[in-house]
Amino acid sequence: MERRAFLGAVGAATGLLAAPAVVRAQAPITLNGASQFNPEHVFNRTMTKFQELVVQYYGRPVNFVMHNNSSLGLEKQYFEYMSAGRAVDFAIVSPAHMSTFSRAAPYIDAPFLFRDLAHWNKVLDADLLKPVADEVERRARVALIGYAGGGVRNIFSSRPATNMAQLRGLRIRVQGAPIWSRTFQAIGMAPQVIAYNEVYNAIQNNVIEAGENEAAGVEQMRFYEVGPNLILTQHAITIRPLCFSVQTMQRLPRELQEAIRRAGKEAGTFGRQTESSEDGQKVDALASAGRLKKVEFTERAQMNAAVQPVMAAYAKEIDAEQIHNRINALTS
């Protein structure tokens, strides 16, 4: 009798000691996101949608911590953190910042790749970018779980230009991927690679004369204050992958991994629809407020013709020739 009582007491005590571990095991998982922008930016709203969908599809609590306003650096750092499996678990990152890990990655966001929004949407719906995404995931250990973007990029400048001759020699900031410098050089401009957060001061101090961005970036970074002429070159339509660290993913329950990939795809669609619909509205609003002057560019066809040999050579160089040809062959 005494032995049974003793064993019962030991079992009860063991259960009490184990209880904290059970509580800890059931505690919500915490995932960290990062953004250069404030919560109103379309990228941040896309990541908020992602968080909501993850919780919905997982069916259990998940803690999300967003580090906004560049508090953890810039997109290049976010991608490096995700690749290393530390500090940042998810973020929206320009493909230009993936070039260290994949030569082909910047191609999916290259200028003059898409003819218009209809063509851009068809390329994404056909999943023509999958070979690039697979390479990034394999080599950088970062999964491209969705595609946001949809902003049409134009040139904001301290001086106007309506044709190719007036663009010649324009000192313009471009992204770090080589294809951006090559294509802008082919047009006759003088591209310079400068950190995104230094563009405003660089124009203000006449280090450069211009930059290029979609409307959301021009508005958020107040580039219109130093580059009030918006030259409507429409040279690119953005693709902004929603990225997730593979190392983080592998530590998570299988059900949560499935929820993250499902939510990422849907959040990316939300981001594309939101940004593409808001882009023109933002440009018009900035123009109506007198902050931007829209400058019609009359030689887009000539500009496109000048860069296509560069694009074809670049695609061949990075073994993306097949993707390049499939994109060009896809009719909008």
Side-chain angles (χ1 to χ4, degrees):
M1 190 71 178
E2 290 179 359
R3 175 178 173 78
R4 284 198 299 273
F6 172 75
L7 291 175
V10 170
T14 302
L16 288 171
L17 288 171
V22 173
V23 172
R24 286 195 298 272
Q26 295 175 343
I29 292 165
T30 296
L31 298 174
N32 288 274
S35 173
Q36 296 178 174
F37 308 106
N38 67 35
E40 297 304 313
H41 192 279
V42 65
F43 291 179
N44 297 54
R45 285 182 281 150
T46 298
M47 285 188 276
T48 297
K49 184 68 172 180
F50 167 69
Q51 296 166 37
E52 294 169 354
L53 290 171
V54 168
V55 173
Q56 176 184 331
Y57 295 142
Y58 184 46
R60 302 172 204 170
V62 180
N63 286 334
F64 289 96
V65 179
M66 276 300 302
H67 303 272
N68 298 319
N69 297 309
S70 302
S71 60
L72 290 183
L74 301 176
E75 289 179 6
K76 186 176 188 296
Q77 284 78 52
Y78 308 157
F79 195 81
E80 291 169 351
Y81 292 150
M82 287 185 285
S83 181
R86 61 185 178 88
V88 176
D89 300 310
F90 64 95
I92 290 176
V93 176
S94 168
H97 303 303
M98 305 176 190
S99 59
T100 301
F101 304 90
S102 170
R103 293 197 315 162
Y107 172 80
I108 69 176
D109 191 48
F112 304 101
L113 185 60
F114 307 110
R115 292 188 290 275
D116 49 35
L117 276 169
H119 182 227
W120 172 83
N121 271 309
K122 284 210 168 185
V123 169
L124 291 174
D125 291 342
D127 205 17
L128 296 187
L129 306 180
K130 188 177 185 300
V132 177
D134 289 346
E135 182 186 30
V136 171
E137 183 163 347
R138 184 177 67 254
R139 298 183 63 186
R141 307 295 289 155
V142 175
L144 310 188
I145 59 173
Y147 295 104
V152 178
R153 294 179 80 94
N154 295 293
I155 294 172
F156 55 91
S157 175
S158 59
R159 60 180 173 92
T162 62
N163 54 51
M164 295 275 282
Q166 291 174 351
L167 282 180
R168 185 165 299 281
L170 184 73
R171 289 174 284 120
I172 183 171
R173 180 266 180 184
V174 297
Q175 301 177 47
I179 188 59
W180 285 84
S181 292
R182 294 179 192 178
T183 50
F184 279 66
Q185 284 172 345
I187 296 165
M189 289 183 272
Q192 298 183 34
V193 176
I194 295 174
Y196 186 68
N197 61 342
E198 296 175 5
V199 173
Y200 187 104
N201 287 338
I203 298 177
Q204 190 175 44
N205 295 321
N206 200 35
V207 175
I208 56 175
E209 301 167 277
E212 54 82 41
N213 214 320
E214 61 271 25
V218 173
E219 179 186 54
Q220 187 85 178
M221 301 299 287
R222 305 177 73 89
F223 289 142
Y224 54 81
E225 293 180 348
V226 291
N229 298 286
L230 191 69
I231 305 169
L232 300 177
T233 50
Q234 301 178 8
H235 55 269
I237 303 175
T238 62
I239 289 183
R240 292 292 175 268
L242 174 55
C243 305
F244 201 96
S245 169
V246 170
Q247 293 195 51
T248 298
M249 187 93 74
Q250 291 174 340
R251 295 194 293 263
L252 301 176
R254 180 179 56 81
E255 295 84 356
L256 182 52
Q257 293 184 36
E258 293 172 355
I260 285 169
R261 288 192 181 270
R262 181 181 176 186
K265 185 174 182 180
E266 292 186 23
T269 300
F270 167 85
R272 296 203 308 275
Q273 292 172 345
T274 302
E275 183 164 359
S276 61
S277 64
E278 292 180 354
D279 191 75
Q281 297 171 15
K282 287 183 182 296
V283 170
D284 290 341
L286 289 168
S288 297
R291 293 174 173 175
L292 271 180
K293 178 182 178 183
K294 293 196 288 185
V295 180
E296 294 297 330
F297 190 75
T298 62
E299 295 184 346
R300 189 177 187 278
Q302 293 93 320
M303 184 165 60
N304 186 62
V307 302
Q308 283 312 308
V310 177
M311 288 292 294
Y314 173 69
K316 185 175 183 179
E317 177 185 319
I318 61 172
D319 298 321
E321 194 171 17
Q322 186 175 6
I323 301 173
H324 177 78
N325 293 337
R326 290 182 69 191
I327 289 174
N328 280 343
L330 193 65
T331 58
S332 55

